[in-house]
Amino acid sequence: MLEGYKDVYVFAETRDGKIQDIAFELLGKGREIADITSSKLHAILVGYNVSKEAKKLIGYGADEVIVVDDKCLENYLTEQYVQATYHIINERHPNIVLIGATSIGRDLAPRLSARLKTGLTADCTKLEAEASGALFMTRPAFGGNLMATIVSPNTRPQMSTVRPGVMQKLHYDESRKGEVTTVKVPFDASKFKVEVVEIKRENKKQVKIEDAKILVSCGRGVGKANLHLLEDLATELHATVSGSRAVVDDGIIEQARQVGQTGKTVRPNVYFALGISGAIQHIAGMENSEFIIAINKDKFANIFQIADLGIVGDVKKIVPLLVEEIKKIKAQ
Ligand SMILES: Cc1cc2nc3c(=O)[nH]c(=O)nc-3n(C[C@H](O)[C@H](O)[C@H](O)COP(=O)(O)OP(=O)(O)OC[C@H]3O[C@@H](n4cnc5c(N)ncnc54)[C@H](O)[C@@H]3O)c2cc1C
């Protein structure tokens, strides 16, 4: 541990006053790191009318929740949020700071790290700590063709953004004990250059493949003409359709359904990889699925390296047989 720096801090992201899942996921990992490094886990809760949410963060693993509740934090605005989090970090001298690699986190973290004059490892998919307090931050590099592990030996805090869906939250424990500390930040309003005039919400209901228990994932080997076969399978299994970047680029499914390095990280109970070759960028987004079933006509396809069940064959033939069997079993 570098002298004068201690403990793990997690930025608890909120939207419309509600804590986002990414905060609980980071607390899950943060708890593990805090235990390994014999330190405490703190959550930084910044927003307006958010104090009532603090207890949840304790139930998910925080020892302390530091709350900044201020009207100027009602909507996410870079300068306001940077000032609030900088104030806390600058006073507390953390050893480690974790932030979600969400659109908010990707905006906040680099500005914060610049103000703190420390490094930032963005978009991590793996974090490992040593008892000494050193953090090994792993992220895809060179177009996802290799995984780079980054350490920060000389500057603190060690800062990292982590992709949503990668880390696992702990089970909520209402009986966990922790402290809630309210902090008043001396905001410098003269630096607030942006204000929210109006919020217009997109009407479209976005599909959230990250939450699906079963994913039926479509690759280039399926093709547009056969997408209905996958949709039939998904309907029978009450599953959600997702896919590789190849089928997103071909306009077969929408971007929100893309799995992988530049798409979503998923962890369903069952992942069907149908006509998907298993490129490293795809695998990065689904390798932590509970059970992976792959169908590919190429027995050397990379996807079979990580599949729990592999079927060598044509999806056009196998998927309808599968649907028929499921229907038969359901009818029994
Ligand atoms: C920076 C970067 C980021 C990327 N991000 C992502 C990402 O987030 N997600 C992602 O998925 N990709 C990503 N990619 C692209 C990735 O490298 C691959 O090109 C892509 O995953 C391939 O998609 P695919 O497996 O569907 O297609 P292909 O690689 O073309 O594979 C098709 C497979 O289908 C099989 N097949 C063909 N016909 C049949 C049939 N009738 N029955 C059964 N099997 C059949 C073939 O044997 C083959 O294995 C990224 C690439 C880069 C460079």
Side-chain angles (χ1 to χ4, degrees):
M1 205 90 62
L2 278 193
E3 207 174 319
Y5 295 90
K6 65 179 176 78
D7 293 352
V8 182
Y9 285 66
V10 162
F11 173 73
E13 183 174 321
T14 58
R15 282 174 196 240
D16 299 324
K18 287 210 99 49
I19 299 171
Q20 300 298 290
D21 253 0
I22 179 69
F24 306 132
E25 292 168 17
L26 292 180
L27 284 176
K29 190 65 187 179
R31 186 68 265 160
E32 179 194 310
I33 296 172
D35 292 344
I36 291 171
T37 56
S38 311
S39 46
K40 286 198 162 163
L41 177 62
H42 311 257
I44 302 174
L45 179 60
V46 171
Y48 182 51
N49 277 338
V50 288
S51 310
K52 57 187 185 313
E53 296 277 292
K55 260 212 75 81
K56 271 191 202 157
L57 295 164
I58 293 169
Y60 276 108
D63 297 312
E64 186 198 16
V65 182
I66 306 157
V67 184
V68 185
D69 207 313
D70 196 292
K71 176 84 176 119
C72 78
L73 302 166
E74 187 168 12
N75 297 302
Y76 176 77
L77 284 168
T78 312
E79 181 58 30
Q80 282 81 331
Y81 272 65
V82 172
Q83 281 193 25
T85 42
Y86 175 80
H87 179 82
I88 293 164
I89 294 172
N90 200 38
E91 274 199 336
R92 300 283 196 111
H93 304 293
N95 179 39
I96 293 169
V97 174
L98 306 179
I99 298 177
T102 59
S103 49
I104 286 179
R106 285 175 182 183
D107 185 74
L108 175 75
R111 283 163 169 86
L112 199 53
S113 72
R115 222 165 271 195
L116 291 161
K117 299 192 172 45
T118 189
L120 169 70
T121 307
D123 233 5
C124 291
T125 52
K126 193 170 158 196
L127 295 174
E128 282 172 314
E130 264 183 1
S132 66
L135 186 66
F136 296 85
M137 304 170 272
T138 302
R139 53 151 297 146
F142 295 104
N145 287 312
L146 61 86
M147 301 303 278
T149 300
I150 293 158
V151 285
S152 172
N154 302 320
T155 57
R156 292 291 180 271
Q158 301 167 90
M159 270 184 76
S160 148
T161 59
V162 179
R163 307 197 74 192
V166 176
M167 304 305 173
Q168 263 182 315
K169 55 183 171 190
L170 300 170
H171 286 293
Y172 182 69
D173 177 359
E174 206 170 357
S175 66
R176 272 199 96 251
K177 295 267 175 293
E179 233 180 291
V180 178
T181 311
T182 305
V183 171
K184 267 253 151 283
V185 172
F187 286 104
D188 178 0
S190 70
K191 298 238 164 60
F192 298 169
K193 304 289 182 210
V194 179
E195 66 173 305
V196 176
V197 179
E198 190 188 353
I199 296 176
K200 286 193 175 173
R201 294 193 192 276
E202 217 177 2
N203 243 344
K204 201 166 75 178
K205 202 171 166 269
Q206 278 269 11
V207 57
K208 280 198 92 182
I209 60 170
E210 309 92 295
D211 298 340
K213 295 272 177 272
I214 306 176
L215 282 174
V216 174
S217 222
C218 166
R220 192 181 271 139
V222 175
K224 191 174 182 138
N226 300 305
L227 183 66
H228 66 279
L229 299 176
L230 265 67
E231 287 168 341
D232 290 349
L233 180 61
T235 307
E236 286 307 320
L237 295 170
H238 303 292
T240 305
V241 172
S242 54
S244 69
R245 175 153 144 188
V247 293
V248 172
D249 289 347
D250 290 347
I252 297 172
I253 61 167
E254 77 242 52
Q255 214 277 329
R257 293 180 192 266
Q258 183 187 319
V259 173
Q261 188 194 322
T262 43
K264 302 276 166 50
T265 304
V266 296
R267 199 191 271 270
N269 296 341
V270 185
Y271 186 88
F272 285 86
L274 307 179
I276 290 176
S277 59
I280 186 168
Q281 298 90 352
H282 185 82
I283 286 177
M286 46 66 77
E287 63 190 334
N288 289 325
S289 303
E290 273 311 289
F291 197 82
I292 300 167
I293 301 171
I295 306 178
N296 197 302
K297 65 180 185 185
D298 172 10
K299 68 175 177 183
F300 298 110
N302 203 38
I303 194 75
F304 289 133
Q305 302 285 329
I306 58 151
D308 296 287
L309 177 68
I311 304 170
V312 180
D314 188 337
V315 282
K316 296 195 286 295
K317 291 191 184 136
I318 295 166
V319 174
L321 292 174
L322 210 53
V323 171
E324 221 174 278
E325 277 305 307
I326 295 167
K327 280 185 177 161
K328 265 193 222 158
I329 293 166
K330 280 172 142 182
Q332 277 167 16

